């Protein structure tokens, strides 16, 4: 969704989610190509289409909200970035390099007893990598949350599923 | 002409302080009255107000100011304007903002704020008003650049009064009231994120016309949206054209004449038997400008179970929110009704339905057992109705007296009824009457309040006296928080926990302390006498009616029950004894 980049606008939106009792899985916010307009991407778990519709309508009522798009069922590009700090010693270090390669992840920091893996992709991919790295001992994870928009060309919409992304 | 143009351009170029801009903007908006209360952060504004020629009412509490503004807006159809200072002044209007948000009342509210350079430092009388009020305003601003102030005020008036009306707040740091800038109020409002849909979609209108023509048991549920859209005339025209009976929500009362044969009464928790049963039995429900509040629908599981639901509302988020809706029509009520009238669809054949409704009306009217030895609250309302020919502006507080007024004062005209519906705010009735009287100086204004709620804002008697507003304050004195007492009687085994107040003050003496005439009545005869006297006086009068204390409001749909499960529907019903 796109919003006017005004003081308090994030507060307005998250406040609305609290007021209406919706749980936010993740939020990302950043500038768009137009000055003064920001894009926010929310991932929200909802029970049914009616709730999704209600959230969309409530968001649309906000004066500073310009456009809301429920893109759950559309062809989208969705990406998240994660930094994962893994405990390592000299014996497993190389093993980890090999392990993360298929994920097109990279090591962005190395110290004597840990290294930091950076990965981008859809949340499922990030989950999968985190699971793989768990046995080595994960010290810290930082995730950005999903940011997304629709693809240039739309295939036929797939069936409704949760979570829904706006 | 030419001279005016030059004059205007000159004015536009003149630099002026933020405080003066505010004054000029209010004049440009043709604001007739401001309700407010001064304090440190708004002193520059009050200084400019001093010789501005604008009419300002100093209420005795900021809550009084905002409820008065609500009452003014309800009756005048114009936005109510409020000024409060920072910190405690601002937090005192929180209840009123919420009330206005719930009941879609247009307000433009100015709050002072500490100076920009100390915001965030817990400065004296600083409160995060923007943060506190975000969920209870339609929109809000904090002025950060003096050059933006005129635009902000213009947008605020636009947003408050268009689409679904509501309160808009402008928080003004003190330095912004003294900073100077150019005042240009001629600019257009440009809000890409705010484009209310006013005209109905043709396809949906066609669908509704078709559904009406097929219906066997249609009914219209009309809410305050009809009043906000000034669509009473169209509602009546449409109902008569299609021969469809009409039910009102609490807030909608007056939108359709109560004495009209097609009127079935109010729906909901204390609605009429006929209205509630009609909602239960109907096969087509046309909601016009109501939001299917839970006090109207009862348990949703049993709400209009066999009906196709059509919903006309200017706020798309209300459609389908509580009740699945087959025919959604996002539109201003007046525009949609005009279009429906224009379509002039086939009248449904509903002879049997009308006969059924007539039978319910005859067999299950609103009823109570009178007792002339006391003042029966229902009787009291009926007497007021008769004495004022059903023409008065009536405000109420919240509780039993509010429900009795809604039931027994028959509103035949729109914009005569002022009550707090969505929030149910005790303390609303008296200040709202001040605003209502100022909006219609010639109207007879009656403020019907409970003995408990009256005491939440009674300080405003002082304003009534000061301005000599001929409001008739009617206290329905049952020496209790009556509605709470009723629930405790019915649902909590008569354990009257903190709901009985046998030591209420002497309200007559209290009024006299404010230099307001006052009378007391304890029997029907006395009541008749003091009412006659009070309404013959063109000055404020307070009337303290000691009513039968253990009277309950019926019919009643208990919480969790369906509308068809209401109790206390007949005078012979034992729950009425
Ligand atoms: C500010 C506020 N506090 C509490 C309530 C809950 N409440 C609803 S009705 C009521 C009793 C009102 O008593 P009174 O004003 O005497 O009116 P009555 O019901 O007796 O007619 C109370 C406490 C409320 N609606 N508003
Ligand atoms: Mg009472």
């Amino acid at each position: 969704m796109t919003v006017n980049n005004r003081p308090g606008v994030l507060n307005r939106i998250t406040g609305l989610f609290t007021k209406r009792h919706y749980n936010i899985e993740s939020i990302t916010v950043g500038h768009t190509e137009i000055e003064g307009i920001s894009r926010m991407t929310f991932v929200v778990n909802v029970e049914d289409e009616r709730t999704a519709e209600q959230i969309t309508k409530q968001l649309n009522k906000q004066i500073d909200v310009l456009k809301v798009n429920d893109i759950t069922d559309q062809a989208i590009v969705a990406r998240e970035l994660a930094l994962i700090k893994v405990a390592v010693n000299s014996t497993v270090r190389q093993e980890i390099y090999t392990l993360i390669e298929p994920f097109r992840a990279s090591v962005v920091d190395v110290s004597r007893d840990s290294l930091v893996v950076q990965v981008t992709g859809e949340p499922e991919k990030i989950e999968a990598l985190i699971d793989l790295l768990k046995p080595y001992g994960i010290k810290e994870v930082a995730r950005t949350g999903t940011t997304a928009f629709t693809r240039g060309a739309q295939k036929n919409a797939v069936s409704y599923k949760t979570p829904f992304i706006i | 002409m030419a001279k005016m143009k030059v004059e205007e351009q000159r004015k536009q170029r003149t630099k002026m302080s933020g405080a003066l801009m505010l004054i000029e903007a209010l004049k440009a908006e043709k604001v007739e009255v401001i309700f407010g209360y001064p304090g440190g952060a708004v002193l520059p504004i009050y200084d400019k107000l001093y010789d501005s020629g604008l009419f300002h009412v100093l209420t005795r509490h900021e809550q009084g100011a905002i409820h008065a503004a609500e009452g003014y807006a309800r009756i005048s159809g114009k936005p109510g304007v409020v000024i409060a200072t920072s910190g405690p002044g601002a937090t005192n209007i929180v209840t009123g903002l919420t009330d206005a948000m719930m009941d879609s009342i247009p307000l433009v509210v100015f709050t002072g704020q500490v100076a920009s350079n100390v915001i965030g430092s817990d400065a004296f009388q600083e409160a995060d008003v923007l943060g506190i009020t975000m969920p209870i305003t339609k929109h809000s601003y904090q002025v950060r650049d003096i050059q933006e102030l005129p635009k902000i005020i213009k947008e605020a008036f636009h947003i408050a009064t268009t689409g679904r009306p509501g309160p808009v707040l402008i928080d003004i740091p003190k330095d912004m009231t003294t900073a100077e800038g150019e005042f240009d109020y001629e600019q257009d409002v440009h809000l890409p994120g705010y484009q209310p849909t006013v005209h109905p979609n043709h396809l949906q209108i066609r669908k509704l016309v078709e559904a009406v023509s097929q219906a066997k048991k249609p009914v219209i549920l009309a809410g305050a949206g009809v009043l906000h859209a000034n669509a009473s005339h169209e509602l009546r025209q449409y109902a008569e054209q299609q021969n469809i009976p009409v039910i009102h929500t609490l807030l909608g009362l007056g939108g359709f004449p109560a004495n009209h044969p097609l009127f079935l009464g109010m729906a909901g928790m204390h609605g009429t038997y006929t209205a509630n049963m009609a909602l239960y039995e109907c096969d087509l429900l046309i909601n016009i400008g109501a939001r299917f509040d839970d006090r109207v629908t009862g348990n949703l599981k049993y709400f209009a179970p066999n009906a196709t639901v059509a919903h006309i509302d200017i706020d798309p988020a209300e459609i389908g929110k509580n009740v699945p809706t087959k025919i959604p029509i996002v539109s201003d009520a007046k525009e949609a009704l005009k279009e429906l009238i224009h379509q002039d669809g086939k009248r449904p054949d509903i002879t049997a339905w009308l006969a059924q409704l007539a039978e319910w009306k005859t067999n299950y009217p609103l009823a109570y057992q009178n007792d002339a030895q006391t003042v029966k609250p229902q009787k009291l309302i009926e007497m007021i109705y008769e004495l004022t020919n059903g023409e008065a502006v009536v405000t109420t507080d919240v509780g039993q007296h509010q429900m009795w007024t809604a039931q027994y004062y028959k509103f035949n005209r729109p914009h005569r009824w002022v009550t707090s519906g969505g929030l149910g705010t005790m303390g609303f009735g008296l200040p709202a009457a001040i605003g209502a009287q100022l909006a219609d100086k010639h109207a007879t204004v009656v403020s019907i309040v409970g003995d408990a709620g009256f005491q939440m804002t009674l300080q405003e008697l002082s304003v009534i006296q000061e301005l000599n507003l001929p409001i008739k304050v009617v206290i329905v004195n049952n020496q209790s928080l009556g509605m709470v007492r009723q629930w405790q009687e019915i649902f909590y085994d008569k354990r009257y926990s903190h709901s009985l107040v046998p030591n209420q003050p002497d309200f007559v003496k209290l009024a006299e302390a404010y230099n307001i005439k006052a009378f007391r009545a304890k029997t029907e005869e006395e009541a008749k006498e003091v009412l006659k006297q009070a309404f013959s006086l063109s000055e404020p009068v307070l009337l303290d009616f000691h009513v039968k204390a253990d009277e309950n409001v019926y019919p009643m749909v208990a919480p969790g029950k369906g509308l068809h499960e209401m109790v206390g529907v007949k005078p012979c019903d034992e729950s009425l004894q």
Side-chain angles (χ1 to χ4, degrees), chain B residues 185-225:
Chain B
Y185 208 68
E186 298 304 308
Q187 42 191 325
D188 289 330
V189 172
H190 175 65
L191 294 165
Y194 178 67
Q195 308 285 340
T197 307
V198 178
H199 296 284
N201 175 297
H202 258 276
L203 199 74
Q204 300 297 342
I205 290 282
R206 286 300 316 162
K207 273 197 208 163
L208 179 52
V209 170
E210 178 61 26
V212 168
S213 71
Q214 306 277 323
K216 297 268 173 297
K217 304 175 185 178
V219 69
I220 291 171
L221 174 67

Side-chain angles (χ1 to χ4, degrees), chain B residues 382-393:
Chain B
E382 284 186 331
M383 287 193 280
I384 296 171
Y385 167 71
E386 279 155 26
L387 213 60
T388 56
N389 298 318
E391 297 273 306
V393 166

Side-chain angles (χ1 to χ4, degrees), chain A residues 7-8 11-12 19 50 54 57-58 61-66, chain B residues 134-135 139-140 144 159 193-194 315-317 319-322:
Chain A
N11 206 348
R12 253 177 234 291
K19 171 177 171 179
R50 201 162 137 202
Q54 184 55 211
K57 285 175 166 179
Q58 291 296 347
K61 269 168 70 167
Q62 291 292 324
I63 314 286
D64 279 332
V65 170
L66 302 173
Chain B
M134 234 172 233
H139 196 53
S140 55
R144 304 210 166 174
I159 293 169
Y194 178 67
D315 180 358
I319 302 178
K321 185 178 82 176
N322 297 336

Side-chain angles (χ1 to χ4, degrees), chain B residues 400-401 449-453 476-483 499 504:
Chain B
Q400 289 183 312
H401 66 280
V449 298
D451 48 313
V476 182
N477 188 349
N478 50 16
Q479 305 270 316
S480 65
L481 321 184
M483 191 56 95
S499 61
Q504 295 291 30

Side-chain angles (χ1 to χ4, degrees), chain B residues 457-495:
Chain B
T457 48
L458 73 84
Q459 75 282 348
E460 305 306 339
L461 282 177
S462 191
V463 177
I464 293 176
Q465 186 273 333
E466 179 190 348
L467 300 178
N468 195 27
L469 302 175
I471 296 167
K472 306 298 175 265
V473 180
V474 171
I475 302 180
V476 182
N477 188 349
N478 50 16
Q479 305 270 316
S480 65
L481 321 184
M483 191 56 95
V484 172
R485 192 208 55 75
Q486 174 169 346
W487 281 51
Q488 288 171 339
E489 178 186 327
I490 302 172
F491 305 118
Y492 294 90
D493 208 15
K494 301 192 179 171
R495 288 156 55 84

Side-chain angles (χ1 to χ4, degrees), chain B residues 16 18 27 49 59 74 93 108 122-123 150 158 162 182 188 212 235 256 276 278 322 367 447 504 527:
Chain B
M16 58 172 82
K27 285 182 179 171
L49 200 55
T59 54
R74 271 271 165 83
I93 59 166
V108 176
D122 301 317
H158 175 73
T162 52
E182 276 166 29
D188 289 330
V212 168
L235 173 63
F256 192 78
N276 282 346
N322 297 336
S447 184
Q504 295 291 30

Side-chain angles (χ1 to χ4, degrees), chain B residues 221-329:
Chain B
L221 174 67
V226 170
L227 299 170
H228 292 306
N230 277 316
S232 301
H233 177 69
E234 287 77 8
L235 173 63
R236 181 176 179 163
Q237 224 182 324
Y238 176 63
E240 286 176 353
Q241 182 196 65
Q242 297 295 314
N243 202 26
I244 306 176
V246 177
I247 294 168
H248 264 315
T249 63
L250 173 67
L251 288 178
L253 292 174
F256 192 78
N259 58 7
H260 196 287
L262 283 172
F263 188 59
L264 307 182
M266 178 175 78
M269 184 169 275
H270 296 294
T272 63
Y273 180 86
T274 312
N276 282 346
M277 287 310 291
L279 283 170
Y280 183 69
E281 296 268 327
C282 66
D283 67 352
L284 174 65
L285 170 55
I286 307 171
N287 175 341
I288 309 178
R291 59 183 177 84
F292 284 132
D293 177 82
D294 54 278
R295 289 282 154 123
V296 168
T297 62
N299 189 333
L300 284 171
K301 207 161 88 190
Y302 309 109
F303 182 67
N306 308 312
T308 300
V309 176
H311 189 168
I312 300 169
D313 206 303
I314 193 135
D315 180 358
E318 288 304 339
I319 302 178
K321 185 178 82 176
N322 297 336
V323 174
T325 300
K326 189 92 165 277
I327 308 173
I329 301 179

